[in-house]
Amino acid sequence: MGVRRWNGWIDEGAEPPAVASGAVRLLEAEIGPGAPPRDATLGEVVASLGASALADEAGLSIDPVDRIRHARGQSLPDWIALRSGRLGRVPDAIVRPATSGDVRGILELGRRRGAALIPFGGGTSVVGGVMPDLDDDRPSIVVATELLTGLHGLDETSGLATFGAGTLGPDVEAALGPHGLTLGHLPQSWERSTIGGWVATRSAGQQSLGFGRIEELFAGGRLEAPAGSMVLPPHPASAAGPDLRQLVLGSEGRFGILTETIVRVGPKPRVEAVPSWVLGEWPRAVDAARDIARARLPLSMVRLSTPIETATTLALAGEGRGVRALRAYLRFRRVGPEPCLLLVAASGDEKLVELAVREVGSIVRRHGGTGIGGSPGRQWLRSRFQVPDLRDALWELGYAIDTLETAVDWSRLPDLAADLGRTLRHGLDDVGERVHAFSHLSHVYPSGSSLYATYVFRLAADPDETLDRWRRLKDAASEVIVRHGGTISHQHGVGRDHRRWLAGEKGELGLGVLRDVSARLDPDRMMNPGVLLTDARDERSGRR
Ligand SMILES: Cc1cc2nc3c(=O)[nH]c(=O)nc-3n(C[C@H](O)[C@H](O)[C@H](O)COP(=O)(O)OP(=O)(O)OC[C@H]3O[C@@H](n4cnc5c(N)ncnc54)[C@H](O)[C@@H]3O)c2cc1C
């Protein structure tokens, strides 16, 4: 992995991947031809930058390119700001602590200078989690965790590994691999995100069904808060009152800076199989996914695509021989009017994997589905970390692509999924634009499932107009999610973009408790203002 380009996802200097002609045709037919707006150059953004308010402070980077590179994350509003060069505010400085002691020094500096501090891991937040608050006139310092890295300790007997919080996904696995161990936490952003960022956002890996979400893997660590240090011991279980680890999980930089992360690791599975099936219609496919979840088989992933997502996946896969053969096979088997692709991953030893795959096969057949072999699964394994590169490619064709996600009980899922799809598809009718929207179940649980939606719409010539299109879609989709009893985020966190909907989920008292915790740990309110919680000052000024 190289250095990420300053205004996108792919490596600096790399070309975006080609989009299959079938997928371009599909988009043109569904939402019309795209016209890419002109991107601002890095030189233009550097030239427009104001002076740093912290230029007189030693030990901080105020290099303009460094400031721009740490100004935003990876949400669509972040992309619009970066591509148009209309960043609003950029941080005044970047600082790179190497030890918990350094972090304490930075907290003291922040207090002394009346600055806001923004913890920054991989900067892959898709909810506006890593940017200076546009309404806060204090200077801001990004605390980049890129030197807080490496395996600090490994207790093989207990299966506990201690990592610096800034360690990137591939470095976590590279450190564990020689010991035959794995964490197995593989969000799609794995190559560019950090273990501390995962904890701070309660992330879900693609195979969390088997390995566990980060909240199950996070055993303890060290949080440096403005009010002091909080050491979280890695007890296997404890009845000693509420678990403080749960406060750190999902705290999104509001309560302090996580410097060390202790995680539960396990033996690397001997085999991994990703077989696939196709079911003929969505309601029966959902029933099958639910039955699989309830069977509690040793699976690491169940991923079920709606008919529209299945058709889009096939279009993106191009017109190679394999895809043509699959289409012919589906016609021959008369699978059903609206094929839904089901991918399942099973990891472990040979016997368990074989048993799990056989059981899934019999559940799927009971619901009218048919096996289509290992080729879609192999393709998924090969490309799973490259799919996000499409964002760069589509942008350059004049299209914005974004995702949103929720989790809801099985009983409410069908209505939520139908309403969400309709809402996204018609969300820009008022402005005469169409939207291509599709979704899949990405994580299944005995009582419900996550729902992960992707939507594509055309970029406008004016970045403010593109932002307005995004906001219409995001607001309408969030209202639908909340109305149907879904969580406002299954995995991406709250950041700025979901903050408005948090009170509905936590209740005013619950949110008040979190605000009180923030006030106790961070009396000067310097940690990541504007993210997760509104604070008293926000409320006084009427911000939500
Ligand atoms: C292409 C793409 C795919 C993605 N796929 C997934 C996915 O499959 N599953 C998933 O869950 N998410 C996914 N995400 C979202 C994102 O990658 C996760 O939220 C991830 O956990 C963020 O990690 P990070 O290191 O990049 O954190 P950052 O983006 O740098 O920070 C995220 C938040 O955590 C805070 N923070 C970071 N480090 C620390 C620390 N050490 N101490 C205290 N606070 C800290 C930041 O202030 C911020 O509020 C994806 C994002 C992208 C762009």
Side-chain angles (χ1 to χ4, degrees):
M1 265 278 100
V3 174
R4 186 171 74 210
R5 64 183 281 180
W6 69 279
N7 61 355
W9 181 253
I10 58 176
D11 284 356
E12 197 66 83
E15 284 298 316
V19 182
S21 57
V24 177
R25 276 199 304 278
L26 183 136
L27 284 179
E28 286 180 349
E30 290 284 321
I31 59 177
R38 189 187 86 81
D39 289 342
T41 64
L42 184 56
E44 285 166 349
V45 183
V46 167
S48 71
L49 216 61
S52 165
L54 296 165
D56 58 331
E57 192 70 48
L60 306 178
S61 161
I62 54 161
D63 171 66
V65 174
D66 209 13
R67 290 170 63 201
I68 293 166
R69 280 188 167 281
H70 291 87
R72 294 285 186 140
Q74 286 288 315
S75 69
L76 196 63
D78 290 339
W79 267 55
I80 296 167
L82 288 162
R83 294 274 178 160
S84 65
R86 298 186 192 173
L87 286 169
R89 284 193 69 190
V90 300
D92 290 281
I94 319 301
V95 63
R96 296 178 166 83
T99 64
S100 295
D102 293 348
V103 171
R104 292 239 59 85
I106 292 162
L107 293 169
E108 176 48 30
L109 165 77
R111 199 195 53 74
R112 182 166 50 78
R113 297 295 303 244
L117 300 182
I118 307 165
F120 193 106
T124 66
S125 165
V126 282
V127 291
V130 283
M131 61 178 277
D133 197 26
L134 298 178
D135 300 321
D136 187 347
D137 48 15
R138 292 176 292 180
S140 56
I141 305 175
V142 161
V143 185
T145 59
E146 64 195 56
L147 300 181
L148 290 164
T149 53
L151 180 63
H152 296 175
L154 179 63
D155 174 353
E156 291 196 52
T157 311
S158 313
L160 292 171
T162 305
F163 283 97
T167 312
L168 289 165
D171 298 334
V172 168
E173 291 299 336
L176 295 173
H179 303 273
L181 296 168
T182 182
L183 178 63
H185 192 72
L186 305 173
Q188 201 178 41
S189 56
W190 177 70
E191 290 167 314
R192 298 202 189 275
S193 55
T194 63
I195 194 164
W198 302 339
V199 173
T201 57
R202 298 186 81 98
S203 68
Q206 291 170 338
Q207 286 166 264
S208 284
L209 181 58
F211 293 96
R213 293 166 56 94
I214 200 68
E215 63 254 37
E216 292 153 64
L217 299 171
F218 176 60
R222 186 179 181 95
L223 181 82
E224 298 298 347
S229 306
M230 198 149 88
V231 176
L232 302 159
H235 296 130
S238 165
D243 191 339
L244 292 175
R245 292 174 287 200
Q246 291 295 332
L247 268 187
V248 174
L249 281 157
S251 57
E252 301 191 14
R254 283 302 302 246
F255 298 165
I257 299 171
L258 194 63
T259 56
E260 268 196 343
T261 311
I262 308 174
V263 283
R264 304 185 170 105
V265 298
K268 226 176 155 47
R270 290 225 312 242
V271 236
E272 180 159 78
V274 189
S276 43
W277 287 267
V278 166
L279 291 109
E281 48 180 318
W282 180 243
R284 291 194 77 185
V286 171
D287 288 346
R290 191 185 58 236
D291 287 353
I292 294 168
R294 293 250 174 88
R296 298 184 191 262
L297 299 167
L299 301 173
S300 54
M301 179 185 78
V302 172
R303 182 190 159 108
L304 175 68
S305 297
T306 57
I308 301 180
E309 181 166 296
T310 304
T312 307
T313 306
L314 285 177
L316 279 168
E319 282 304 319
R321 240 187 24 219
V323 176
R324 283 203 307 275
L326 178 59
R327 284 185 203 281
Y329 179 71
L330 292 180
R331 275 196 302 273
F332 167 71
R333 289 294 305 246
R334 294 205 181 94
V335 167
E338 299 191 306
C340 302
L341 178 65
L342 172 71
L343 287 184
V344 163
S347 329
D349 69 27
E350 288 86 348
K351 278 219 171 72
L352 271 185
V353 167
E354 210 185 296
L355 176 86
V357 171
R358 216 179 26 240
E359 275 304 302
V360 172
S362 63
I363 294 172
V364 172
R365 276 191 299 280
R366 273 210 304 281
H367 292 280
T370 183
I372 53 171
S375 149
R378 278 194 297 276
Q379 169 65 18
W380 176 82
L381 275 176
R382 261 197 312 275
S383 63
R384 59 174 157 170
F385 301 123
Q386 273 77 57
V387 172
D389 296 358
L390 272 176
R391 298 201 304 166
D392 293 80
L394 288 174
W395 186 280
E396 277 160 38
L397 294 173
Y399 298 107
I401 181 167
D402 194 24
T403 60
L404 48 86
E405 35 84 49
T406 180
V408 71
D409 314 338
W410 286 113
S411 55
R412 303 193 218 203
L413 176 78
D415 287 350
L416 193 163
D419 203 356
L420 187 63
R422 241 186 338 262
T423 301
L424 285 171
R425 272 190 283 285
H426 295 289
L428 296 182
D429 285 0
D430 281 359
V431 292
E433 288 293 319
R434 285 171 287 155
V435 180
H436 183 58
F438 48 91
S439 58
H440 65 264
L441 310 188
S442 62
H443 297 77
V444 295
Y445 304 92
S447 66
S449 173
S450 73
L451 179 70
Y452 188 97
T454 303
Y455 54 103
V456 188
F457 59 96
R458 294 198 298 182
L459 296 169
D462 175 2
D464 288 341
E465 174 60 28
T466 303
L467 189 60
D468 179 66
R469 290 178 189 175
W470 174 81
R471 196 160 280 137
R472 284 167 186 266
L473 293 169
K474 182 76 179 176
D475 285 359
S478 301
E479 298 295 343
V480 167
I481 286 172
V482 169
R483 195 166 61 242
H484 285 275
T487 172
I488 196 62
S489 177
H490 166 263
Q491 61 196 63
H492 289 159
V494 176
R496 281 178 172 72
D497 298 346
H498 294 147
R499 200 178 57 179
R500 200 143 58 91
W501 287 278
L502 195 61
E505 192 162 327
K506 303 283 182 212
E508 278 305 331
L509 181 59
L511 213 51
V513 170
L514 294 178
R515 280 194 203 108
D516 289 350
V517 172
S518 154
R520 176 71 184 83
L521 291 172
D522 177 23
D524 297 314
R525 304 291 172 94
M526 62 174 153
M527 297 307 307
N528 218 1
V531 165
L532 183 66
L533 303 168
T534 52
D535 56 29
R537 197 191 39 189
D538 290 334
E539 277 151 24
R540 274 202 306 278
S541 63
R543 280 173 63 208
R544 300 263 312 148

